[in-house]
Amino acid sequence: MKILLATQKPFAAAAVKGITDILEGAGHQVVKLEKYEAQADLVKAAADAEALIIRSDKVTAEVIAAAPKLKIVVRAGAGYDNVDLEAATKAGVVVMNTPGQNSNAVAELAIAMMIFMARTQFTPATGSEVQGKTLGVQAFGNVGRLVGAKAKALGMKVKALDPFLTDEQIIAGGAEPVHTLDELYEGSDYLSLHIPALPSTIGSINYDLITKMPKGATLVNTARKEVIDEAGLEKALEDRPDLKYVTDVAPDNLAVLQEKFGLRVFATPKKMGAQTAEANVNAGLAAARQIVDYFATGNTKFQVNK
Ligand code: 3PG
């Protein structure tokens, strides 16, 4: 089978080699499209692909329509909001992710971002310590649980909200369960977002929620930019000069936020949460193995469009 590895943000060389070895070792052919500039490049490259490995690359209805031989797309990572699931399902294309494989990298970045903001972006201005502060984790999945564990090791109190988990599961994960967003936001000096971008979550982190946070609080977003109501965030930062926002997914109004709020806002230049050699290897090789297994045995364990 012809497998296209399409990564606008390329994997580390070790991951690319590992992916290639696994796929070629199983008799497949690997074609690479890395650092491409235009979506049209992906549409063109996918034309004769039977499988795709992607990261945040956009597998739109156009890509799927242009790839009549396509049978499977594996998003090497957790969030699959970049894949048009409806178009894939209609075309009979299986879509999978590789849950958990890059979680530690994202969790480490969330912790790093908290400390970076606590220390006023590493300027000499007097900062604060995270020890003794409360971290609220919104969505206690693979990443959220790791952030919680690392925060506890730093001496933080950890609370978590997750409508898909029982109190017992949250407690077993090392956090105190809370049951409403208001309660979570009101009690969190740091609030780390780990929700996916879904119709129900897009724009859900709004002015009302953000301004519920206590004095001096910081909102940490290593999830998706779409979950933030950007106008609401701007107004919250305006009305509450004590609040801070740090994100791995730059908002559309970043320039305005930086101009207005200076060191209270920080965004990474490009999403880098999962950009470690380890995460690249874990997620990339898992994706390759899932493709080999799917073609060999029909295994759809990680399919997200069942
Ligand atoms: C994910 O959903 O797995 C992360 O957001 C990582 O995305 P990336 O592979 O584009 O870095």
Side-chain angles (χ1 to χ4, degrees), residues 3 42 85 103 110 113 116 128 141 170 207 217 272 281 294:
I3 323 282
L42 175 56
L85 287 191
S103 303
M113 285 180 142
F116 183 60
S128 60
I170 291 179
Y207 177 87
M272 55 168 284
V281 168
Y294 176 70

Side-chain angles (χ1 to χ4, degrees), residues 9 11 54-57 75-82 98 102-103 106 222-224 248-249 271-275 280 283:
K9 185 172 55 185
F11 279 133
I54 53 158
R55 298 186 63 179
S56 289
D57 307 81
R75 193 284 189 236
Y80 44 88
D81 47 305
N82 50 320
T98 65
N102 59 17
S103 303
V106 179
T222 54
R224 293 288 183 269
D248 188 33
V249 279
K271 186 160 73 127
M272 55 168 284
Q275 196 61 337
N280 286 180

Side-chain angles (χ1 to χ4, degrees), residues 15-64:
V16 176
K17 183 176 182 313
I19 291 167
T20 309
D21 288 351
I22 289 170
L23 293 172
E24 290 183 351
H28 300 299
Q29 185 197 348
V30 181
V31 179
K32 283 182 288 205
L33 175 73
E34 295 176 320
K35 285 191 193 170
Y36 57 94
E37 307 257 312
Q39 181 67 12
D41 298 341
L42 175 56
V43 174
K44 194 166 159 220
D48 57 353
E50 286 154 298
L52 279 182
I53 296 179
I54 53 158
R55 298 186 63 179
S56 289
D57 307 81
K58 292 185 175 28
V59 178
T60 58
E62 189 191 4
V63 173
I64 290 164

Side-chain angles (χ1 to χ4, degrees), residues 170-238:
I170 291 179
I171 292 164
E176 180 192 323
V178 294
H179 305 105
T180 65
L181 282 170
D182 284 2
E183 198 189 341
L184 186 72
Y185 278 70
E186 277 162 11
S188 298
D189 301 304
Y190 291 86
L191 192 301
S192 195
L193 294 170
H194 302 291
I195 48 177
L198 299 169
S200 57
T201 62
I202 289 171
S204 65
I205 311 305
N206 56 24
Y207 177 87
D208 286 347
L209 269 186
I210 298 166
T211 52
K212 290 223 157 55
M213 295 178 80
K215 191 165 166 45
T218 301
L219 179 62
V220 183
N221 185 5
T222 54
R224 293 288 183 269
K225 85 180 169 84
E226 289 80 5
V227 301
I228 304 284
D229 169 0
E230 293 185 359
L233 171 68
E234 188 178 333
K235 187 166 160 31
L237 291 167
E238 223 158 55

Side-chain angles (χ1 to χ4, degrees), residues 238-273:
E238 223 158 55
D239 292 357
R240 287 277 308 276
D242 56 300
L243 295 179
K244 296 178 189 169
Y245 180 59
V246 60
T247 180
D248 188 33
V249 279
D252 292 337
N253 60 350
L254 179 63
V256 175
L257 296 186
Q258 281 174 330
E259 200 196 313
K260 281 188 172 175
F261 309 117
L263 291 177
R264 291 169 53 212
V265 172
F266 178 82
T268 52
K270 189 160 199 167
K271 186 160 73 127
M272 55 168 284

Side-chain angles (χ1 to χ4, degrees), residues 263-301:
L263 291 177
R264 291 169 53 212
V265 172
F266 178 82
T268 52
K270 189 160 199 167
K271 186 160 73 127
M272 55 168 284
Q275 196 61 337
T276 65
E278 293 89 340
N280 286 180
V281 168
N282 291 342
L285 272 57
R289 289 192 188 104
Q290 286 172 212
I291 287 179
V292 169
D293 200 21
Y294 176 70
F295 283 131
T297 71
N299 187 346
T300 55
K301 180 174 174 198

